[in-house]
Amino acid sequence: MSGLRFPVGRLPDEALLSGLATGDQELAVVFVRRFQHRVFGVAMAVTGDRQLAEDVAQQTFERAWRHAQIYDSRRGSVTTWLTTIAHNLAIDAVRARRTEPVAPEDLDALLGTVTETPERWVLADEASARLRAAVSRLPREQARALMMAGLYGMTAQQVADAEQIPLGTAKTRIRAAMGKLRTTLSAPERGGHVQ
């Protein structure tokens, strides 16, 4: 890399990701150093466990290395892509560790913090902010059903049992919430509003 016109540390994120994909050790080290605090911060915010967050951060960089060639800049920045990987891996790690699902009566407190979490400051990207805002605008019963199914991995039957509603109603709430999120998140960012 000695033929570069400016220091490796100043390369754009996309160039570092390309270097990671090609196996360039110098660029890979710079890539990890540039994003390690942010990735660890996301993992720590989700897991609340330092050791688990370190494991998630390592898995994030391994996955980024394996999938660097499929990164598409039209879908978001490298930072957004990488923090999304970290966030998803952290959620999977928490789910795998959890022996008991969260009590449905605790969901109201969780839904209240959906827009104000430590992740808000760590992620600081437009995609996660739009998702949190869209979820916070869903009708409460749809948001609860979505959180139970999407975040806690409950089946529609488990949601129905926890909420003491018919199975069809639980499925409808989950499906309606997903449809509203899909519409909101695929709309131009002028302030898509969930109804």
Side-chain angles (χ1 to χ4, degrees), residues 94-95 98 100-117 135-136 138-156 158-165 170 173-174:
V94 169
R95 282 182 184 161
R98 180 169 286 133
E100 259 179 58
V102 171
E105 56 272 9
D106 295 337
L107 279 177
D108 284 327
L110 288 172
L111 285 170
T113 62
V114 128
T115 58
E116 292 295 329
T117 66
V135 169
S136 71
L138 287 171
R140 194 128 194 102
E141 64 277 355
Q142 289 178 7
R144 285 178 58 86
L146 179 69
M147 294 288 284
M148 285 185 207
L151 190 58
Y152 297 105
M154 295 172 76
T155 65
Q158 290 170 324
V159 172
D161 293 344
E163 295 290 285
Q164 299 178 341
I165 57 175
R173 287 179 181 177
I174 295 166

Side-chain angles (χ1 to χ4, degrees), residues 54-114:
E54 288 174 1
D55 293 344
V56 167
Q58 182 170 346
Q59 291 172 12
T60 299
F61 287 111
E62 288 171 2
R63 187 166 290 181
W65 170 68
R66 284 195 316 270
H67 300 289
Q69 69 279 2
I70 63 169
Y71 165 74
D72 182 358
S73 62
R74 295 173 297 185
R75 299 188 72 192
S77 68
V78 171
T79 302
T80 300
W81 179 72
L82 196 60
T83 55
T84 300
I85 292 171
H87 185 261
N88 291 341
L89 287 172
I91 288 173
D92 290 346
V94 169
R95 282 182 184 161
R97 231 182 213 195
R98 180 169 286 133
T99 56
E100 259 179 58
V102 171
E105 56 272 9
D106 295 337
L107 279 177
D108 284 327
L110 288 172
L111 285 170
T113 62
V114 128

Side-chain angles (χ1 to χ4, degrees), residues 25-49:
Q25 288 185 353
E26 184 180 6
L27 292 180
V29 168
V30 173
F31 181 84
V32 170
R33 286 186 180 151
R34 182 173 292 177
F35 294 105
Q36 66 187 358
H37 295 295
R38 182 169 291 151
V39 167
F40 176 77
V42 169
M44 188 66 190
V46 174
T47 65
D49 178 303

